[in-house]
């Protein structure tokens, strides 16, 4: 028999772990630039709308499946299956989730490696080590390989320590630190010249763009990626949650923390960009759009930090610590998905399973590093635009159509006995049966065929 499963020791521990998963590069890097190039607050509204009407119900589906089955993605969906056909589908969806999240981790580790390199650069700069600094900040295969490996090692160390001593312990330490650093950086940046222009670009809505299909798709994609949906991450965290917890309430808190931190990140990134502009840094690309891709983090912001004089070194340090924390609390939630599957299916020890899977993901990661131009975008798009929404749809189908309504209700009632008469239970079952699948399918068809 497999060893007893892990469980989070407290609601706080779960909240830090789940919001740590949700809050990542997607919030601090992806969201603000997406907003800036899509009509500012118009995008923010659309994103919040998508997050609470579509992503939150999907998050609840994963948490409920996880807590009920107390199993990894494959085992969980199999338990819900009622016939050979749904069992086959369960195997396929669960397994596709595991493969998808492993691939997401393999590109996430590369980008997180950049953050680590830049973090180290702050120390190199303080020590006056110029050549080290140049190496750390120049894009090169060796540097990228080394730092992806270091980042994967950190992820492996946390995951091999288990649910309480690894995930919960580190998320509970790192997430409060992330929030404090984020606030400090916002307060500082808002005092600088140009910051108000950034606030305007972020918060004054251009509603003429709010209903464009492109914007709606980006908002939904952003919400899904940001809540770590569709690949069994939230399912596995839900499976470690105590039956005493009120699921709709903790799910709401996770969604609020995630969107709240994305919103706050916008208050940091956009004002920073306009401060950079005021200091003579170019923040628009050739087509006139705001720089959004890697250029934002490794060119625009560092150029800004440089114009800040000696304070800049510390601001840069704080910023890259923030990015590294955000990355690590997300990457551990990715690695946990395949590791839990291997531990529970093959009765492998956790440490061995973590090393094995971590090693495999690192190899894929290195293949991408050394074939960056042909593989990086491909892997990002295939996983986040193709696979993730489609699998999210199947999770909704399993809860809405395969599992019976009473079973779902009983699971939620364990921690919230009154739920049957709540607004949540009036709306959510309908959402997960009809609204989520149809909306995801509609967006999906747009992405694939247009
Ligand atoms: N949500 C994280 C972010 O915003 C990334 C993340 C963690 C993720 N786990 C995931 C994305 C699972 C997709 C699937 O950066």
């Amino acid at each position: 028999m497999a060893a007893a499963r892990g469980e989070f020791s407290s609601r706080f521990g779960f909240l830090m772990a789940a919001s740590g998963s949700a809050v990542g590069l997607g919030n601090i890097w992806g969201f603000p630039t997406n907003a800036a190039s899509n009509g500012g607050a118009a995008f923010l509204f659309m994103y919040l709308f998508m997050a609470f009407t579509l992503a939150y119900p999907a998050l609840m589906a994963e948490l409920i499946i996880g807590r009920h089955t107390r199993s990894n993605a494959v085992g969980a969906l199999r338990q819900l299956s009622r016939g050979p056909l749904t069992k086959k589908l369960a195997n396929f969806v669960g397994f596709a989730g595991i493969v998808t999240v492993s691939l997401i981790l393999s590109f996430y580790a590369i980008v997180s490696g950049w953050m680590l390199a830049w973090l180290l650069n702050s120390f190199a700069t303080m020590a006056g080590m110029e050549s080290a600094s140049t190496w750390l900040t120049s894009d090169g295969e060796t540097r990228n390989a080394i730092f992806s490996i270091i980042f994967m090692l950190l992820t492996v160390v946390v995951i091999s320590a288990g649910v309480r001593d690894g995930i919960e312990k580190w998320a509970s330490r790192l997430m409060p630190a992330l929030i404090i650093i984020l606030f400090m950086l916002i307060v500082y940046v808002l005092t600088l010249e140009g910051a108000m222009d950034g606030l305007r670009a972020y918060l004054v809505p251009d509603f003429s763009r709010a209903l464009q299909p492109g914007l709606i798709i980006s908002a939904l994609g952003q919400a899904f990626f940001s809540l770590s949906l569709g690949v069994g991450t939230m399912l596995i965290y839900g499976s470690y949650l105590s039956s005493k917890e009120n699921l709709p309430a903790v799910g709401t808190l996770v969604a609020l923390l995630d969107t709240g931190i994305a919103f706050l990140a916008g208050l940091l990134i956009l004002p920073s960009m306009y401060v950079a502009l005021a200091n003579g840094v170019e923040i628009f690309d050739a087509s006139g759009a705001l720089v959004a891709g890697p250029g934002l983090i490794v060119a625009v912001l560092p150029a800004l930090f440089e114009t800040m004089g000696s304070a800049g070194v510390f601001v840069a340090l704080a910023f890259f610590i923030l990015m590294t924390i955000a990355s690590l609390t997300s990457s551990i939630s990715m690695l946990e998905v395949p590791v839990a599957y291997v531990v529970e299916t093959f009765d492998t020890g956790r440490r061995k399973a973590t090393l094995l899977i971590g090693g495999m993901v690192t190899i894929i990661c290195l293949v991408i590093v050394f074939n960056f131009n042909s593989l990086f975008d491909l892997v990002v798009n295939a996983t986040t635009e193709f696979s993730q929404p489609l699998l999210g749809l199947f999770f909704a189908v399993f809860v809405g159509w395969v599992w019976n309504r009473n079973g779902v209700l009983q699971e939620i009632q364990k921690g919230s006995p009154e739920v049957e008469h709540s607004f949540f239970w009036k709306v959510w079952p309908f959402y997960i049966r009809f609204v989520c699948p149809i909306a995801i399918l509609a967006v999906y068809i747009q992405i694939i065929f247009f």
Side-chain angles (χ1 to χ4, degrees):
M1 262 316 281
R5 294 189 91 241
E7 188 171 303
F8 290 113
S9 68
S10 66
R11 170 187 276 215
F12 178 78
F14 169 80
L15 281 178
M16 292 302 104
S19 64
S21 167
V23 173
L25 298 173
N27 297 59
I28 299 176
W29 181 342
F31 171 74
T33 47
N34 231 329
S37 44
N38 284 298
F43 183 84
L44 176 64
F45 285 131
M46 191 48 82
Y47 167 70
L48 290 177
F49 179 76
M50 290 295 178
F52 285 96
T53 59
L54 291 174
Y56 168 72
L59 168 69
M60 288 310 301
E62 284 200 38
L63 291 179
I64 294 170
I65 298 180
R67 200 181 67 174
H68 178 71
T69 57
R70 301 266 176 222
S71 180
N72 63 82
V74 175
L77 295 179
R78 281 176 67 94
Q79 275 188 49
L80 297 185
S81 309
R82 285 186 293 188
L85 204 69
T86 40
K87 205 151 246 165
K88 275 212 181 79
L89 187 65
N91 283 335
F92 176 76
V93 173
F95 206 71
I98 289 172
V99 172
T100 301
V101 78
S102 305
L103 287 173
I104 292 180
L105 177 55
S106 70
F107 77 73
Y108 209 80
I110 299 176
V111 180
S112 307
W114 298 343
M115 302 303 117
L116 269 182
W118 279 88
L119 169 57
L120 219 64
N121 173 56
S122 299
F123 294 109
T125 313
M126 283 179 206
M129 297 158 65
E130 261 171 42
S131 58
S133 172
T134 311
W135 181 76
L136 285 167
T137 55
S138 326
D139 189 29
E141 284 178 350
T142 322
R143 181 205 68 168
N144 291 348
I146 291 174
F147 282 94
S148 315
I149 293 174
I150 298 176
F151 184 79
M152 281 304 300
L153 272 175
L154 290 176
T155 308
V156 163
V157 167
V158 176
I159 286 303
S160 62
V163 178
R164 275 194 199 179
D165 297 335
I167 299 173
E168 180 172 353
K169 184 163 117 187
W170 283 100
S172 305
R173 287 175 179 173
L174 294 175
M175 286 307 286
L178 175 141
I179 293 172
I180 293 169
I181 296 173
L182 183 58
F183 270 110
M184 283 177 11
L185 283 170
I186 293 172
V187 170
Y188 178 67
V189 166
L190 287 183
T191 62
L192 303 175
E193 193 198 328
M196 293 307 136
D197 294 331
L199 276 190
R200 224 165 285 133
Y202 180 34
L203 295 177
V204 175
D206 175 359
F207 278 115
S208 65
R209 313 196 40 182
L211 292 175
Q212 285 174 2
L215 182 137
I216 298 175
I217 293 171
S218 328
L220 182 66
Q222 179 68 40
F224 255 72
F225 185 80
S226 191
L227 274 176
S228 312
L229 296 176
V231 294
T233 300
M234 288 300 181
L235 187 156
I236 199 74
Y237 276 13
S239 80
Y240 301 139
L241 180 64
S242 154
S243 293
K244 293 198 280 298
E245 290 298 342
N246 178 334
L247 279 171
V250 291
T252 306
L253 284 174
V254 173
L256 283 173
L257 275 167
D258 181 48
T259 46
I261 292 179
F263 174 72
L264 287 175
L267 295 180
L268 170 66
I269 301 294
L270 290 162
S272 297
M273 291 183 84
Y274 281 80
V275 172
L277 182 69
N279 291 357
V281 178
E282 191 50 68
I283 64 168
F284 297 100
D285 63 19
S287 67
L290 276 175
V291 175
L296 167 65
I297 304 288
V298 302
V300 173
L301 294 182
L304 166 68
F305 302 144
E306 235 161 64
T307 62
M308 291 175 168
S310 50
V313 185
F314 294 97
V315 178
L317 178 64
F319 179 76
F320 287 109
I321 291 178
L322 176 79
M323 296 301 265
T324 305
I325 293 178
S327 303
L328 188 62
T329 52
S330 295
S331 67
I332 56 178
S333 76
M334 299 178 195
L335 186 58
E336 181 62 19
V337 177
V339 166
Y341 170 74
V342 170
V343 169
E344 291 174 6
T345 312
F346 305 105
D347 216 359
T348 319
R350 175 172 267 271
R351 177 164 301 184
K352 197 168 148 200
T354 313
L355 278 175
L356 190 79
I357 304 280
M360 276 162 53
V361 172
T362 308
I363 291 171
I364 302 173
C365 177
L366 292 177
V367 171
I368 302 176
V369 165
F370 291 108
N371 300 278
F372 194 86
N373 291 335
S374 51
L375 286 183
F376 186 78
D377 285 347
L378 183 73
V379 177
V380 173
N381 295 336
T383 52
T384 61
E385 289 188 357
F386 179 82
S387 191
Q388 225 194 333
L390 193 63
L391 295 172
L393 182 132
F394 280 114
F395 279 106
V397 167
F398 263 92
V399 172
W401 296 91
V402 178
W403 196 0
N404 68 51
R405 201 180 145 101
N406 247 340
V408 180
L409 180 61
Q410 277 167 11
E411 182 54 44
I412 307 176
Q413 277 173 331
K414 284 182 189 161
S416 112
E418 306 295 317
V419 74
E420 200 175 349
H421 309 291
S422 67
F423 174 70
F424 177 80
W425 189 251
K426 287 202 179 77
V427 177
W428 178 79
F430 175 75
Y431 253 85
I432 212 68
R433 251 176 113 91
F434 298 104
V435 182
C436 287
I438 292 172
I440 298 172
L441 206 63
V443 169
Y444 190 71
I445 289 172
Q446 287 262 12
I447 294 177
I448 306 301
F449 297 106
F450 293 96

